[in-house]
Amino acid sequence: MDSATVAIRAASSSYFAKSPIPFSNSNPRLYRLNCTFFKHVKCIQTPNHDLNSSASCLSRSHLKSNSRDRGSSFPCWAVTSSPSSTTHQAACRLQSLISEFQSLAEPVDRVKRLLHYASLLPPFDESLRLTENRVMGCTVQVWLDVRMDGDGKMRFAADSDSEITKGFCSCLVWVLDGAAPEEVLSLKTDDLAALNIGLHGRGNSRVNTWHNVLVSMQKRTKALVAEREGKPPGEPFPSLVITVDGIRAKGSFAEAQARFLSPDELKVQELANMLREKKIGVVAHFYMDPEVQGVLTAAQKQWPHIHISDSLVMADSAVTMAKAGCQFITVLGVDFMAENVRAILDQAGFAEVGVYRMSNERISCSLADAAATPAYMDYLGGASISSPSLHVVYINTSLETKAHAHELVPTITCTSSNVVQTILQAFAQVPNLNVLYGPDSYMGANIMELFRQMTVMTDEEIAEIHPKHDRNSIRSLLPRLHYYQDGTCIVHHLFGHEVVEKINEMYCDAFLTAHFEVPGEMFALAMEAKRRGMGVVGSTQNILDFITQRVQEALDRNVSDHLQFLLGTESGMVTSIVAAVRKLLGTVKSSSGRAEVNVEIVFPVSSDSVTRTSRSSPQGLNLGQAGEFMNFPVIPGVANGEGCSIHGGCASCPYMKMNSLSSLFKVCHQLPDDKQSLSAYEAGRLSLRTLHGKLIADVGCEPILHMRHFQATKKLPEKLVDHILHPCENGRSIPIS
């Protein structure tokens, strides 16, 4: 027996001697471990373990690291060779590893132990050091090879260019090498929480290494099990691969859109000249038709007053354009966005600036429509008789809804990026507050679930989210938080079970992005990815920022890499993603000796959501041979919302697609001389009044201004707090039964 083995066993023994109930359910981390992992296997544990009583799980024999003849051995305890214990191998080894690291009181000793294990990791075959064997999401390079032996057991090999990460890999390989596939798949990332290595500084990224390597092991295990069972490989989602040299579409869904998306240089020039000559600004939402976005993105280089963003920033951009001298603003979005632009321009003193929509018909929004119903006002009416109450309304609603709601219940607007902070600050600032959120039911349920998850976090972790809260305050607010249960976005509703199952099966190791409006199962998937540094849940801007940040980090590492992102929102968003990624890749194109970083944007599309065209093109069609971005097509959802399935998202909003390029040209051509013919396109001022006789435009803007105050100060404005605490004095209307 070598000295390292003796030392580790001694440390483990001393741990059992020091700990009165080392595996008791009084330890919350180990209790979670028992509930999530050990319920799948039957490694019997007893309180007051000692080395002898653990013999049913572990033996004192020395275990070779694996059966691939890698010529190294682990000094950890071994599983007995009896047939009954083979099924419990991974559980017993993990239990052993947990006790071993927890026996070391000082973080520096745990790190030393990890580095020792790194030295014991068998050499990695150089021929396996391939890009496809890289583990995504790690801050360093990690390679993983997974095979199934003749007995159906899983065999793992791993390596890293970081010694600490090699130690992590060494431990995971020891736990799972030789295990049955079901054991590998039963292990949860939460089960690794008890392996508290205690690294300071970059500790979170190191913990993510445990998780991301495990997830990659499980993904490849699933594929090998399916291959053994004779199942054909799953059909991948369509995707767009962005490289420094071009863009490549993969799959019929992506290829079918290519013909719509290459901007016509003459159209780009014509539009830019017309906008400049007539002093017309353009504000457009991220979800625009890709043909429109392609032309606008190219025209930005010649006329700066074109802005593509989420709905919150559109009105701000319009004000900036008005200050710069624009006499007209064209709004490419749904009607509530045009209303907001009109009202905010008026508030800013630019009443003379005209605002035009892109259709002479109503451009609706399923969320705005849900809030414009008597049912929604009834929902608020129930709270108007209890005080104190605050209505947090999603920005994707009309001014009329905001105005009527504000007179019924004090109201503040929110976005998907600030809703959590808005609610937490409100509860912190107003004692015994009741909060009503609406109208997005999925977002409301996701917020509630997020807060439930916070109740099992530490006070320190909660304080990082909001400094005025702890577990007790989060628990106390849950009964006082309510959300409307009959409003959904028709786009995000489409991220259903088929999409989620396929992501779990084929893309569990990819970066996952999800809008806050997605259904609960997609939200849970993205939140799990977020916890290990592989995902983001939030607004369209949050999604864009997350992708660009990860790409920049890969470029900074200067190591060849392939980053894969699942786009969990409206597929028109990819236009802005492509522009941002191409810009980042372009900054290093001319540098010699730079590593190659490729970025793949995956569209989670159900099998029923494919629109085929008569044009045939080869798989993997290269769409990016031209030099400028304006010549690169970008891949959206199905045109005009065709082919959507209730089982999965084609993720294309039919309302947004009413904003066509031809409409934009029509409006611009007829301004300023032929305003009369554009009367149906103009975003007029709301002349209607509330029940208290106030202009809807004025009252409807108040919740937006409250939000802007919150964004600037991180506190609710005193005017709103006073309204909450003294509703009758502020003229709140009495609900009509």
Side-chain angles (χ1 to χ4, degrees):
M1 183 182 299
D2 63 20
S3 59
T5 305
V6 173
I8 293 172
R9 289 187 179 177
S12 300
S13 298
S14 91
Y15 167 75
F16 286 126
K18 292 176 186 174
S19 304
I21 310 178
F23 288 98
S24 158
N25 286 350
S26 64
N27 184 327
R29 283 182 171 174
L30 291 178
Y31 179 75
R32 287 198 300 270
L33 180 66
N34 294 340
C35 291
T36 57
F37 179 51
F38 289 116
K39 70 181 180 181
H40 298 289
V41 293
K42 296 182 179 178
C43 177
I44 300 172
Q45 303 174 41
T46 60
N48 304 312
H49 259 100
D50 60 30
L51 249 131
N52 294 325
S53 67
S54 64
S56 62
C57 255
L58 308 170
S59 84
R60 299 170 183 262
S61 62
H62 191 75
L63 178 73
K64 291 185 177 180
S65 62
N66 55 55
S67 59
R68 287 172 122 176
D69 298 323
R70 292 178 184 149
S72 182
S73 59
F74 267 99
C76 297
W77 299 332
V79 178
T80 61
S81 58
S82 64
S84 62
S85 67
T86 305
T87 348
H88 314 148
Q89 171 182 297
C92 298
R93 290 186 180 183
L94 182 60
Q95 175 184 322
S96 168
L97 204 60
I98 289 169
S99 65
E100 182 180 334
F101 276 99
Q102 289 188 342
S103 72
L104 302 172
E106 296 299 323
V108 65
D109 292 329
R110 299 183 208 130
V111 174
K112 287 179 180 178
R113 184 63 53 84
L114 206 60
L115 292 174
H116 173 67
Y117 282 160
S119 69
L120 300 178
L121 188 66
F124 194 75
D125 189 334
E126 287 298 320
S127 66
L128 300 175
R129 215 175 290 272
L130 306 170
T131 301
E132 54 265 35
N133 283 339
R134 286 276 303 279
V135 176
M136 277 191 283
C138 298
T139 56
V140 296
Q141 294 188 91
V142 182
W143 294 270
L144 176 67
D145 180 52
V146 182
R147 302 178 193 174
M148 183 183 289
D149 67 18
D151 297 324
K153 305 298 183 185
M154 301 311 302
R155 298 298 176 185
F156 299 98
D159 197 13
S160 174
D161 57 1
S162 158
E163 288 301 306
I164 288 180
T165 301
K166 281 181 74 171
F168 283 132
C169 292
S170 186
C171 291
L172 279 173
V173 168
W174 180 72
V175 168
L176 293 174
D177 189 72
E182 55 269 23
E183 286 188 272
V184 176
L185 299 177
S186 294
L187 189 62
K188 308 297 182 188
T189 55
D190 286 347
D191 298 334
L192 304 178
L195 288 164
N196 179 21
I197 304 304
L199 296 174
H200 294 292
R202 297 180 66 191
N204 286 340
S205 66
R206 299 303 188 190
V207 170
N208 292 341
T209 299
W210 284 108
H211 295 172
N212 294 333
V213 174
L214 174 61
V215 168
S216 290
M217 286 176 160
Q218 292 175 329
K219 175 187 175 182
R220 301 179 200 187
T221 296
K222 289 177 187 176
L224 289 170
V225 169
E227 182 181 336
R228 182 186 64 180
E229 294 174 351
K231 295 179 181 177
E235 183 72 22
F237 286 134
S239 65
L240 182 69
V241 180
I242 311 163
T243 71
V244 70
D245 297 317
I247 301 175
R248 185 163 50 93
K250 296 167 64 176
S252 56
F253 179 89
E255 292 173 7
Q257 304 309 309
R259 60 193 176 98
F260 297 112
L261 306 173
S262 185
D264 185 315
E265 293 185 33
L266 293 178
K267 284 187 177 179
V268 171
Q269 188 65 52
E270 180 185 359
L271 179 63
N273 291 342
M274 188 161 41
L275 297 175
R276 184 187 305 107
E277 177 189 343
K278 300 185 177 186
K279 297 183 180 180
I280 301 173
V282 179
V283 292
H285 194 271
F286 281 132
Y287 294 169
M288 280 304 95
D289 183 275
E291 182 187 17
V292 175
Q293 287 202 59
V295 171
L296 291 178
T297 303
Q300 278 176 324
K301 297 170 182 163
Q302 302 179 49
W303 176 242
H305 302 303
I306 299 173
H307 190 82
I308 304 171
S309 68
D310 59 19
S311 55
L312 173 64
V313 183
M314 290 170 68
D316 293 338
S317 300
V319 172
T320 301
M321 293 173 189
K323 289 178 179 177
C326 288
Q327 297 177 5
F328 306 97
I329 303 293
T330 52
V331 179
L332 281 73
V334 296
D335 283 349
F336 76 79
M337 297 175 185
E339 283 181 5
N340 287 346
V341 169
R342 173 71 278 163
I344 295 300
L345 281 173
D346 288 347
Q347 291 275 340
F350 293 102
E352 76 284 357
V353 174
V355 178
Y356 290 87
R357 308 177 308 118
M358 291 299 104
S359 176
N360 57 1
E361 299 178 4
R362 182 169 176 262
I363 306 178
S364 189
C365 167
S366 59
L367 283 177
D369 290 348
T373 61
Y376 192 76
M377 290 301 140
D378 289 344
Y379 158 71
L380 296 180
S384 65
I385 57 176
S386 61
S387 185
S389 294
L390 173 67
H391 173 217
V392 179
V393 65
Y394 196 25
I395 194 169
N396 292 13
T397 49
S398 69
L399 279 176
E400 189 171 359
T401 292
K402 294 180 179 76
H404 289 313
H406 193 40
E407 287 204 338
L408 197 59
V409 185
T411 297
I412 185 171
T413 304
C414 72
T415 69
S416 48
S417 59
N418 67 22
V419 59
V420 171
Q421 290 297 322
T422 301
I423 292 173
L424 289 175
Q425 179 58 32
F427 277 120
Q429 202 168 336
V430 182
N432 303 313
L433 181 67
N434 293 288
V435 170
L436 294 93
Y437 168 79
D440 193 305
S441 303
Y442 286 138
M443 191 184 295
N446 292 341
I447 294 166
M448 189 73 81
E449 176 58 26
L450 178 63
F451 289 163
R452 288 194 190 101
Q453 291 181 18
M454 289 175 66
T455 63
V456 297
M457 295 168 62
T458 66
D459 288 344
E460 292 75 16
E461 290 170 334
I462 294 171
E464 289 180 6
I465 299 173
H466 195 285
K468 299 295 185 182
H469 282 282
D470 55 26
R471 277 187 292 185
N472 288 333
S473 68
I474 297 298
R475 288 192 189 103
S476 70
L477 68 80
L478 282 172
R480 293 179 283 119
L481 175 61
H482 314 275
Y483 65 93
Y484 188 60
Q485 301 193 25
D486 196 22
T488 59
C489 166
I490 61 172
V491 172
H492 295 107
H493 175 67
L494 294 169
F495 288 94
H497 68 273
E498 181 187 338
V499 165
V500 170
E501 287 176 3
K502 194 164 185 176
I503 291 173
N504 269 324
E505 189 71 23
M506 299 179 64
Y507 297 94
C508 57
D509 60 342
F511 293 100
L512 179 57
T513 71
H515 199 279
F516 223 146
E517 298 174 21
V518 297
E521 52 188 337
M522 184 74 168
F523 171 79
L525 205 62
M527 285 297 292
E528 191 279 330
K530 184 177 186 292
R531 282 192 291 272
R532 54 189 175 88
M534 293 292 291
V536 63
V537 178
S539 67
T540 48
Q541 188 62 53
N542 295 148
I543 290 172
L544 179 60
D545 292 344
F546 175 81
I547 293 174
T548 54
Q549 181 183 350
R550 291 296 181 270
V551 173
Q552 186 61 62
E553 289 170 355
L555 293 173
D556 291 342
R557 288 194 294 270
N558 195 23
V559 173
S560 294
D561 210 346
H562 181 90
L563 308 181
Q564 189 178 59
F565 298 89
L566 271 85
L567 185 60
T569 189
E570 217 275 357
S571 51
M573 178 72 196
V574 78
T575 306
S576 295
I577 294 172
V578 168
V581 171
R582 291 284 292 158
K583 184 177 180 180
L584 290 174
L585 297 181
T587 61
V588 298
K589 182 176 181 179
S590 58
S591 304
S592 59
R594 294 293 304 186
E596 182 179 343
V597 175
N598 299 333
V599 179
E600 183 175 9
I601 308 299
V602 180
F603 303 94
V605 184
S606 82
S607 57
D608 297 329
S609 301
V610 175
T611 295
R612 300 185 181 275
T613 69
S614 57
R615 181 182 66 86
S616 61
S617 59
Q619 181 79 5
L621 175 68
N622 192 305
L623 304 173
Q625 298 302 320
E628 294 296 322
F629 173 76
M630 61 178 286
N631 292 317
F632 289 113
V634 289
I635 306 305
V638 178
N640 300 320
E642 299 164 1
C644 296
S645 164
I646 61 171
H647 300 297
C650 70
S652 184
C653 177
Y655 299 123
M656 288 290 188
K657 301 309 181 278
M658 291 174 68
N659 295 267
S660 66
L661 196 59
S662 60
S663 293
L664 177 60
F665 272 93
K666 175 182 177 178
V667 170
C668 292
H669 274 303
Q670 293 182 268
L671 288 173
D673 301 326
D674 197 9
K675 292 182 183 179
Q676 189 62 35
S677 64
L678 293 176
S679 59
Y681 290 78
E682 188 170 7
R685 293 173 178 83
L686 293 174
S687 57
L688 298 175
R689 295 184 179 271
T690 67
L691 293 176
H692 288 166
K694 298 179 181 179
L695 282 173
I696 279 177
D698 292 339
V699 181
C701 276
E702 281 190 27
I704 299 174
L705 297 177
H706 290 332
M707 178 185 68
R708 295 189 187 284
H709 182 280
F710 168 73
Q711 288 179 298
T713 66
K714 305 306 177 187
K715 292 184 178 180
L716 302 188
E718 288 303 320
K719 180 180 179 182
L720 177 59
V721 173
D722 183 63
H723 190 180
I724 294 169
L725 296 176
H726 308 97
C728 295
E729 297 174 19
N730 286 276
R732 179 198 277 179
S733 62
I734 300 174
I736 301 172
S737 59

